[in-house]
Amino acid sequence: DILIIILVKLLIHPLIAFLLIILFHFNGPLAYAAIIIAALPTIKSVSVISKRFNTFEIESVNIIVLTTLFGLITIPIIISM
């Protein structure tokens, strides 16, 4: 399950942002920034919310760590496109 979440966050999410930018004819630096922001790793607040509600605490930390590590590979690839 965690690998699917990582795949969606780092690859599918930027792809959806890219397709929406094409669909709505956005261009320029803001369109480029939107794709890069979509490609960023999962944010820390996910872990805070998980801790607050006592659910998926370990999984959320794993997702944050792994998306950050894999983001070191995927973000430069997305930027170079």
Side-chain angles (χ1 to χ4, degrees):
D1 293 338
I2 290 177
L3 291 178
I4 292 171
I5 293 169
I6 293 168
L7 176 71
V8 169
K9 176 60 185 133
L10 295 178
L11 298 176
I12 305 299
H13 191 209
L15 178 63
I16 291 170
F18 177 73
L19 293 174
L20 288 172
I21 286 167
I22 290 173
L23 179 67
F24 292 108
H25 306 288
F26 293 133
N27 55 24
L30 291 178
Y32 188 66
I35 295 170
I36 293 172
I37 289 170
L40 291 176
T42 305
I43 58 174
K44 174 74 172 128
S45 63
V46 170
S47 177
V48 173
I49 293 168
S50 295
K51 178 98 172 133
R52 168 71 174 91
F53 292 102
N54 298 317
T55 183
F56 298 110
E57 294 176 54
I58 307 264
E59 292 87 346
S60 67
V61 171
N62 288 337
I63 290 167
I64 291 168
V65 169
L66 292 173
T67 57
T68 301
L69 290 175
F70 288 126
L72 295 172
I73 298 166
T74 59
I75 292 171
I77 292 170
I78 289 170
I79 289 173
S80 70
M81 294 178 141

